[in-house]
Amino acid sequence: MVLGVFVGIVLVASNVWTEILWFQQMNAARIIFTRWGAIAGLFVLGFLIVFALTAVTIRLAYATRKQASRGDVSASLRVYQQALDSLRPIILWGVPAVLGLLNGTGLATHWQTVLTSVNATPFGEVDPVFGWDISFFIFILPMLELLASFLLRAFGIALIAAVVVHYIYGNIGAIPRPHATKAARLHLGVLAALISVLIGAQYWLGRYGLLTRQGKPVDGAMYADINATLPAHSILAIISLVVAVLFIVAAFKGTWRLPAVGVVVTVVSSLVIGGLYPGLIQQFRVTPNARQLESPYIQRNIDATLKAFGLDDLEYTTYAARTDARPGQLREDSESTSQIRLLDPAVIVPTVRQLQQSRPYYSFNSGMKVDRYTIDGERRDTVIAMRELDLNGLSPEQRTWVNLHTVYTHGFGVVAAYGNTVTGDGLPAYWEQSIPSVGEMGEYEPRIYFSPSAPLYSIVGAPEGAEPQELDYPDDNAPGGQVSTTFSGNGGPSVGNLWNKLLYSVKFGSTDIFFSSQTNSESQILYDRNPLTRVSKVAPYLTLEQDAYPAVVDTDDNPATPKRLVWVVDAYTTSSNYPYAQHQALDQATTDSRSTAVGDFVQVNTVNYMRNSVKAIVDAYDGSVRLFQWDEKDPILSTWMKIYPDMVEPISNISGDLMSHLRYPEDLFKVQRELLTSYHVREAAEFYTGGDRWRLAQETSTVNQLNKQEGQAAPSTAQPPYYLTMQMPGQESAEFSLTSVFVPGGESRREAMAGFLAVDSETGSEAGKVREGYGKLRLIALPSSTTVPGPGQVQNLYDSKEQIASQLNLLNQADSTVIRGNLLTLPVGGGLLYVQPVYVQGTGSASYPVLRSVLTSFGGQVGFAPTLQASLDQTFGGDSAATIAGETPSDGADEGAAPLSAQDRLNRSLVTAANAMKEADAARQKGDWAAYGVAQEKLDKALKDALAAQDALGQDTSGVAQAPAGGADGAQSGAGGVGTGGAGSGASGGGASPQSGG
C-alpha cells in the first residue's frame, strides 16, 4: 500500500512538479499557477453547480415519493424502486458527482474566456448596429454565451434527473392518463421555466452573434439578418420568457395545457420566424436586389476587415508601369539595384551544408533566413543560419546515452553570407563562417543549446574546476581532435539531487538519468528546447509565427559584453469575434510553396482579428525568453498583461541592436495579402460585382526539385513573399521590405501583373523606438489598359527564348540539374523588373547548387548572363546604368570591358562546343562536309579553351570532354562570377547571345 502511494506520488510529481521547476527556472511561475488556479477554480465551480443541482433535484424528487399512491405504480416500476432504494447513497451522491466531474472538466477548458472577460480592456470603437464597444464582442459575449450554455446544460441535467425519479416513484405518469402530483408539478415546472429563460437568453445573445457570423457574400450581418433574423431572435426570446411564465402558472394551477401550447408555439416560431421568414426575405427581397440592398452591409464588412487586420492605413496607388526597356533606365534606382538579392535561401541550404557543416552532427535544419547587418559601415542584406546540433548525424556506435545526452549537447556558431554577392565559383560570399567563427560578426557567444533540432534533453553543468565533458567544437590541433566545454548558464532545472533525478527519470522514461555518474551537484537538465515551444509555454495566449529566425545581437547595447545569439519569434494576438470582419483560415492563408500549414502554436485557426503584438527572443545559449510589447494599442494584449503582470516588457527595453534585426512578420503579411486579393476594392458596389478580383501569383521557382531530393513534402503553388531591400514608388528611400505579386483572378487564368504589394519592414536601430514608416503597406495596381507580364508570363518568356532554353537544357542534361531560384520583383525604371538566379546542381551524393547565371526581364525584354550586371545590360539595350554591389557596369563585349574570369571562359567554351557539335551533326546529315570541317574546327578550339580555363581553375579536366554532350561535370564548382565583375554578354537589347554564359 505504501509503495503504491509512493509510486502514485512520483508519477504525478514527474508531470506536475517538473513543470513547476521548469517555470520557476524561467522566472514564469506566475504563468502556470494562474492557469492552474483558473482551471481548478472553474472545475470546482462547474462541479459544485452541477453536483448541487443534480443532488438537490434527486433528493427533492425522492423526498416527495410518499405522496404517490402505490396503487398507481406498476410492478415493473416497483422493481426499479427497490433497486434505487438499495443503491440510494450511490444515486444520491455518486450520480451527481460523476455528472459534476464531467461538466466541471468541460467548463475548466474555457479558462481563457473567463480570465479575459474579467480583465477586459475597451477597444474605444463601437459596432455599427448596437453601438457596443468592440470589447463586448471579443471578451464579454463569449463569456455570456458560455454561462448560458453551461447553465442550460446543468438545468437540463437536473430536469432529466427529476423526471426519471418522479416517474419511477409514480409522482408523474402517462397511463391511464397524464397525471402528476402537486410536488412534482412545482418541481418540474420551476426547472422547465428556468430552462425556458435560458433558451430565451441564448436567443437574445444570438442577436449579437449575427455580427460575427460567417456567410455570403461576406461575413457579418447582412440585410436579411438585420431585417428578419435579428427581429426573429428578439421575438423568440420574448416567447421563451412567456413560456417560462406559463410553466410557473401551470405548476400552481395543475394544468400543462398552457405551457404545452407555449412549447409548440416556440418550436413553430423558431421554424417559421427564425428560419422560413428570413429565407423568404433573402429569396424574394434580397436576391433580386442584392447589389443595392447588401451594399451598406458589405461596406461595413470592408471597413471592419481593413481595421481588424491592420489594412486601414494601406497606401493604394495606380501604377502606369513602363514596358519599354532603354539604355540607362536604372540610373535613378541605385538604392534598389545595389541590394538585389542573388542568393535564394531555400536553394543554397545544401550548399552551405556541404561547405560549412564541418561535421555530420551539425546541420542547418532551420534553413537560411534573410536579415540585414551593418558591415564596414554599410547596411547589407544577408542570409544567415545557425549551425545546430543534429544527433541524426551520429553513427550507430556513437549513439550511447552518454554521448546523446551529456557530450553532444549544442551546436556552434552561425554562417552568414552577403545576399547580393557570390564568389567567382558561384558560391555564397561568406562574411562569417567556420568553426570557431571567423569573419565580420565580432565577438559573440556561439554555443547553441536551444534550437528546433536540439536533442530531447541534455544534462549539462559541473562544479567549478571540473574537467569539461561536453564537445564544444572539433579542432584537429586540440588533444583528441576536439575542444570541450561546460555549460555555465541557467538553462534548466537542477538534477543535482536524488528527488529531481528520480522525477526526470520517470518523465523521460530513462533510468540512466538516475544512475548516471555524469550528473553532479551542479547538473541541469535542458528540455523543451524549441524556441517556439518555450515562447508558447510562457505566453499561452499568443499565436506564433511558424518559424523563428536567428540574429546575433547586443541585447543591452553594452559594447563591453559579447553579443548573444538569439532566436526571434513574432507573436500575434487573434480573435474570431470582431464584428463584421472577414474570417481567415490561417492554415490556408499562410501556406505557400515554401511553407506548410500552421503548426501547433495557433490559438484559433479561423480568425477575423490579428495583430503582431509581441516580439519575443529566445537566447540560444541559456534558453531565456523575453517578451516585448510591440503593439502598445492592442486591447487583447493589454488584457493579458493584466492577467499576467510583469511578464511582457515595454518596447523601451528593446536595445538598438536588437531593434535593427526585427522585421515585419511573414505570416501576418500572408494573411493581409490574401485578403487584398478582394479587399483592395473598397467600394461596396464594385466589391459585390467582383470584377476586379485578384489572386496570388503562382510559384515559378524550381526549388521544388531540390525539396523532393531532400525528402520534403510537396508544397502548394502560391509564390511566397520575399524579403529584400527596395524602394516603392512614392517612398523616400529604399528600405528592407516584404513583397508579393498579384495577378488577375477569375477563371481566365491570365498571368499578367495585376498588383504589387510591399510593406516597409525596416524597424530602425534606435533603442526602444520603432522607426517612423515601419509597417507601412503600399499597394500599386496596374491599370487594365497596360499589360505588364506577371511572374508566370516572365517564366514563359525565359523558356521561349531559344538561346536561354538551349543553354539551360544543356546544363540540365546528364549529371546536373538546373534550379531556378526565387523570382524577385522590383518596381524600378518606371516599370517592374524581374530577377531570377539560376543554379546548377550535380546528381552525386555530395552535390550542391551553385549559382551559374542570372535571368532578368523588364517588359518584354530579357537578359541571361553569368552576372547580374551583364544580364541587366542585356535587358536594357546594352547599358542599364544599374549600380550593382561588387560589380562594374559593362556590356561584356566592347573593347575595354572587364576581362572574363576563368569560370566564365569555361562556361562560354562549353556552350560553344555544344553548339559546334550540333552544327557538325546537321552538316553531316546534309552531306555538307565543308561545313562539317568548319564545325569540327570550332569544336576543337572550344575544347582547348575549356581545358585551358579548367587548368586555370586548378581542377580536374576529366569531365570537360563530355561536357558538350551531357553538361559539365564541373557543375559543382559553379559558374558565373556573379558579383565579381566579369560580364559575359555579347548582346545588346533583349535577347541573350549564345556566348552570354550559363
Side-chain angles (χ1 to χ4, degrees), residues 59 108 126 136 140 178 196 209 262 297 348 359 692 905 939 962 997:
R59 185 175 293 275
V126 298
F136 170 79
I140 308 302
S196 186
Y297 307 100
I348 65 170
R359 293 293 189 274
D692 193 25
R905 297 198 305 274
L939 176 60
Q962 303 174 10

Side-chain angles (χ1 to χ4, degrees), residues 148-161:
S149 176
F150 175 77
L151 291 178
L152 181 61
R153 185 167 57 252
F155 280 106
I157 292 172
L159 178 62
I160 293 172

Side-chain angles (χ1 to χ4, degrees), residues 14-15 18-23 25-26 32 35 449-458 491-493 504 507-508 525-538 567 601 618-620 622-625:
S14 67
N15 289 289
T18 56
E19 278 295 276
I20 294 175
L21 291 176
W22 189 92
F23 278 94
Q25 187 274 326
M26 293 289 292
I32 194 169
R35 183 168 76 237
Y449 284 87
F450 294 85
S451 71
S453 63
L456 177 62
Y457 68 90
S458 293
Y504 282 106
K507 182 179 182 69
F508 292 108
I525 184 166
L526 312 182
Y527 62 98
D528 285 338
R529 300 166 76 172
N530 187 327
L532 298 182
T533 300
R534 298 181 77 79
V535 175
S536 69
K537 291 186 71 171
V538 299
W567 295 96
F601 307 104
V618 180
D619 193 294
D622 62 21
S624 58
V625 176

Side-chain angles (χ1 to χ4, degrees), residues 318-365:
T318 301
Y319 186 57
R322 295 178 56 179
T323 56
D324 59 318
R326 300 178 180 178
Q329 199 160 329
L330 301 183
R331 194 179 309 278
E332 304 301 323
D333 296 289
S334 59
E335 284 193 88
S336 292
T337 59
S338 65
Q339 290 282 12
I340 294 177
R341 180 167 48 79
L342 297 175
L343 291 185
D344 184 343
V347 175
I348 65 170
V349 171
T351 305
V352 177
R353 183 181 299 126
Q354 284 291 333
L355 303 179
Q356 290 293 324
Q357 186 167 303
S358 178
R359 293 293 189 274
Y361 46 81
Y362 291 129
S363 74
F364 297 95
N365 289 340

Side-chain angles (χ1 to χ4, degrees), residues 712-870:
Q712 298 179 14
S716 64
T717 58
Q719 188 183 60
Y722 296 125
Y723 287 104
L724 70 157
T725 295
M726 50 148 286
Q727 184 174 3
M728 286 287 281
Q731 192 174 7
E732 294 182 357
S733 59
E735 302 294 347
F736 189 66
S737 304
L738 187 57
T739 66
S740 195
V741 175
F742 300 99
V743 296
E747 299 300 324
S748 66
R749 313 308 294 177
R750 292 181 63 241
E751 294 293 334
M753 174 79 80
F756 180 76
L757 176 68
V759 61
D760 189 334
S761 186
E762 184 54 62
T763 50
S765 58
E766 186 175 348
K769 185 178 180 180
V770 182
R771 170 186 154 271
E772 184 178 355
Y774 165 82
K776 181 66 176 180
L777 287 151
R778 295 178 173 87
L779 176 64
I780 54 176
L782 283 299
S784 56
S785 59
T786 302
T787 302
V788 177
Q793 292 178 334
V794 169
Q795 198 67 66
N796 182 70
L797 189 62
Y798 292 154
D799 295 339
S800 63
K801 291 292 182 180
E802 182 179 354
Q803 298 93 335
I804 297 175
S806 63
Q807 294 180 48
L808 293 183
N809 288 336
L810 172 66
L811 294 172
N812 215 14
Q813 296 172 6
D815 295 332
S816 60
T817 300
V818 172
I819 300 170
R820 290 170 174 164
N822 43 209
L823 183 59
L824 303 179
T825 309
L826 295 93
V828 295
L832 289 159
L833 171 68
Y834 289 95
V835 179
Q836 184 174 44
V838 178
Y839 298 83
V840 175
Q841 175 172 324
T843 58
S845 60
S847 61
Y848 51 86
V850 292
L851 187 61
R852 293 291 301 267
S853 304
V854 182
L855 287 162
T856 57
S857 175
F858 188 97
Q861 306 301 313
V862 299
F864 180 48
T867 69
L868 175 59
Q869 183 74 64

Side-chain angles (χ1 to χ4, degrees), residues 69-86 167-170:
S69 171
R70 297 189 66 83
D72 294 335
V73 180
S74 65
S76 60
L77 290 181
R78 291 195 189 97
V79 174
Y80 286 115
Q81 290 177 7
Q82 293 172 0
L84 289 178
D85 287 339
S86 62
Y167 176 75
I168 290 176
Y169 285 101

Side-chain angles (χ1 to χ4, degrees), residues 71-131:
D72 294 335
V73 180
S74 65
S76 60
L77 290 181
R78 291 195 189 97
V79 174
Y80 286 115
Q81 290 177 7
Q82 293 172 0
L84 289 178
D85 287 339
S86 62
L87 298 174
R88 187 172 65 176
I90 296 177
I91 300 299
L92 292 180
W93 302 107
V95 171
V98 171
L99 293 172
L101 287 172
L102 294 175
N103 286 274
T105 301
L107 184 62
T109 61
H110 298 279
W111 63 275
Q112 290 187 329
T113 299
V114 175
L115 289 180
T116 53
S117 68
V118 173
N119 296 277
T121 301
F123 272 65
E125 306 165 13
V126 298
D127 76 274
V129 177
F130 302 104

